[in-house]
Amino acid sequence: MGVTCVAQVPVAEGKSLQQTVEILTRKLELLGAEKQGTFCVDCETYHTAASTISSQGQTGKLMYVMHNSEYPLSCFALFENGPCLIADANFDILMVKLKGFFQNAKANKIESRGTRYQYCDFLVKVGTVTMGPSARGISVEVEYCPCVIANDCWNLLMEFMQSFMGNHTPGIPSVFGTKHDSIYSPADTMVQYMELFNKIRKQQQVPVAGIR
Amino acid sequence: MMPVTGGTINMMEYLLQGSVLDQSLESLLHRLRGLCDNMEPETFLDHEMVFLLKGQQASPFVLRARRSMDKSGMPWHLRYLGQPEIGDKNRHALVRNCVDIATSDNLTDFLVEMGFRMDHEFVAKGHMFRKGIMKIVVYKIFRILMPGNTESIEPLSLSYLVELNVVAPAGQDVVSDDMRNFAEQLKPLVHLEKIDPKRLM
């Protein structure tokens, strides 16, 4: 996958979440981007069961198991500030077998769903982030497909994002900092989504009806 | 090596095992070449690590992480094997739930982060054959003399382990009949049997 930046866009002043998503997608369409289907990125949270903690003497840890429709046969499992494992879809079955040791915090399941747009060498995904029945925020993922070295194309990515995100353009993602010249990987995108989801979970609920 | 499974929650491994002394290896390989599907002879050199997660349950959770030492670019193979099913005595093979997962190469770091600890490791070197959905492996187990160093290894025994296995959805007991029929054709070179690991402990 090409170098990707995932960012949150705040709900526009005086507008609903749905309307803000429409403003963004309209700007993309005016630029000439073409709709290319939909996408979904989801994240489930597991915590170490109390029984394991007491016998291993370790503190409880949160493990995130994520899926990305761009990689339908894969599953991403990660720890905050820890390794990110890329596995095939059977990893979900393993988590069912491990339910005595890792409990699924079902209420914490969070996902971002929306439309995929292609604009020349860029792939843009604008999604509504939901937790259960309520919409909690907006995510924008921008990928510059031809480049796989993060620091080589950050300026170009930023310039492109400014053309439709204006001053909501984010700063350089923290995962880029550790990359140096190593090849960008889908795991880096999942880490960015995990950080975005964690931030949104901590934010106040959007005080609107959510998706209609 | 594992076929892509459709994500069925209950895939079962049907297994028959036996062994042959080193000096009988060539005749067994010759017989297998004749009986099995025509394909390029396939050898493998794998490093397997067995990890345990201890909880309040009496028995720890076991996971097996396997990587190829001679083929570059292959994913790591993570395997969960359940307890053997106590089926009827007529079932000819050992049957246990299995989950096979291909993973990226940071698997061991990830397992440790989950709380698993490595219990033991070994190197397996041998040959692989297929007949339809059956897989036959003939391999030698090597003990690793210094933890983590797969360069200095020594054979565990003067024999080769022979395994006939099939991974199929639950309930397909006809599989074990086919396996028994195939095993008959390998006698008297090797006697493949249903060996319950618990009886060895």
Side-chain angles (χ1 to χ4, degrees):
Chain A
M1 111 174 291
V3 178
T4 304
C5 174
V6 178
Q8 183 181 7
V9 170
V11 176
E13 209 47 54
K15 300 255 190 276
S16 75
L17 195 141
Q18 173 85 322
Q19 288 169 326
T20 312
V21 169
E22 277 164 11
I23 293 171
L24 276 168
T25 57
R26 209 175 311 131
K27 280 205 186 120
L28 279 167
E29 283 165 10
L30 279 173
L31 271 177
E34 276 169 24
K35 241 189 243 205
Q36 271 197 354
T38 57
F39 81 97
C40 176
V41 175
D42 68 66
C43 176
E44 295 173 317
T45 312
Y46 288 84
H47 21 237
T48 343
S51 52
T52 324
I53 300 173
S54 48
S55 66
Q56 302 263 88
Q58 60 176 58
T59 51
K61 271 190 196 160
L62 282 182
M63 182 168 94
Y64 301 101
V65 177
M66 304 177 70
H67 304 88
N68 186 337
S69 56
E70 207 69 23
Y71 308 100
L73 298 178
S74 296
C75 194
F76 300 85
L78 49 150
F79 287 92
E80 204 155 357
N81 300 321
C84 174
L85 186 76
I86 304 178
D88 66 30
N90 280 347
F91 191 82
D92 291 321
I93 300 177
L94 183 66
M95 289 315 294
V96 174
K97 305 286 176 196
L98 274 166
K99 64 172 182 257
F101 299 86
F102 288 92
Q103 266 129 29
N104 187 345
K106 295 204 168 75
N108 275 3
K109 179 165 179 175
I110 190 168
E111 63 178 34
S112 177
R113 266 180 202 278
T115 319
R116 267 169 110 245
Y117 286 92
Q118 191 195 355
Y119 178 64
C120 303
D121 290 327
F122 293 94
L123 202 52
V124 184
K125 297 171 192 160
V126 181
T128 305
V129 179
T130 55
M131 217 166 124
S134 57
R136 305 278 236 114
I138 302 167
S139 73
V140 174
E141 176 192 323
V142 182
E143 176 183 350
Y144 180 55
C145 306
C147 182
V148 292
I149 306 292
N151 296 301
D152 283 355
C153 64
W154 170 246
N155 289 327
L156 180 61
L157 260 175
M158 198 167 57
E159 212 180 295
F160 174 64
M161 287 192 285
Q162 274 164 353
S163 68
F164 69 98
M165 287 165 81
N167 45 8
H168 296 307
T169 303
I172 190 165
S174 50
V175 287
F176 286 23
T178 49
K179 296 299 290 185
H180 305 293
D181 283 334
S182 54
I183 295 183
Y184 189 86
S185 123
D188 299 318
T189 301
M190 300 319 278
V191 169
Q192 292 186 62
Y193 268 106
M194 176 205 62
E195 290 172 351
L196 180 110
F197 289 155
N198 282 344
K199 200 166 82 165
I200 289 183
R201 255 193 222 106
K202 295 189 183 121
Q203 282 169 358
Q204 284 282 28
Q205 295 249 112
V206 173
V208 215
I211 327 173
R212 263 171 262 123
Chain B
M1 293 296 106
M2 289 287 126
V4 174
T5 56
T8 327
I9 197 150
N10 275 327
M11 292 303 278
M12 307 302 277
E13 183 199 43
Y14 295 79
L15 179 69
L16 286 175
Q17 293 173 301
S19 71
V20 290
L21 292 174
D22 289 351
Q23 49 263 44
S24 310
L25 176 71
E26 278 313 313
S27 3
L28 176 63
L29 292 180
H30 184 84
R31 173 85 61 101
L32 285 168
R33 265 178 233 127
L35 291 172
C36 294
D37 292 347
N38 204 3
M39 49 181 248
E40 281 303 308
E42 182 147 354
T43 58
F44 64 90
L45 178 65
D46 289 348
H47 173 204
E48 181 163 319
M49 290 161 273
V50 181
F51 286 83
L52 301 180
L53 180 60
K54 298 196 169 90
Q56 254 166 24
Q57 288 87 325
S59 51
F61 194 90
V62 183
L63 278 181
R64 298 170 170 273
R66 195 152 172 150
R67 68 172 179 111
S68 175
M69 285 168 63
D70 61 346
K71 297 177 178 79
S72 62
M74 297 289 282
W76 282 56
H77 178 192
L78 179 63
R79 188 162 228 229
Y80 162 75
L81 288 169
Q83 291 304 322
E85 263 190 12
I86 311 166
D88 58 293
K89 293 284 180 293
N90 292 332
R91 207 192 268 147
H92 305 294
L94 189 76
V95 186
R96 47 195 183 174
N97 186 209
C98 79
V99 183
D100 290 297
I101 306 147
T103 74
S104 51
D105 59 19
N106 54 352
L107 179 61
T108 49
D109 289 340
F110 194 81
L111 288 173
V112 168
E113 195 76 27
M114 281 175 84
F116 284 84
R117 294 292 173 262
M118 189 176 85
D119 182 67
H120 62 275
E121 55 179 347
F122 60 90
V123 167
K125 182 172 155 79
H127 306 259
M128 197 202 86
F129 300 86
R130 277 200 174 284
K131 186 161 179 68
I133 58 167
M134 292 191 288
K135 186 173 86 167
I136 302 97
V137 273
V138 181
Y139 65 101
K140 195 178 248 302
I141 299 178
F142 291 80
R143 185 190 290 123
I144 295 176
L145 298 169
M146 275 188 320
N149 181 356
T150 50
E151 299 299 306
S152 74
I153 56 179
E154 70 180 18
L156 197 62
S157 68
L158 297 169
S159 54
Y160 279 76
L161 189 54
V162 185
E163 291 184 340
L164 167 59
N165 74 4
V166 176
V167 175
Q172 306 224 331
D173 285 349
V174 64
V175 158
S176 62
D177 291 335
D178 293 340
M179 289 170 72
R180 199 249 334 239
N181 294 337
F182 185 79
E184 286 297 308
Q185 297 185 63
L186 291 178
K187 292 181 177 167
L189 287 176
V190 65
H191 286 264
L192 293 176
E193 304 171 307
K194 175 166 104 168
I195 298 176
D196 185 350
K198 285 221 241 10
R199 282 200 264 122
L200 296 170
M201 302 214 270

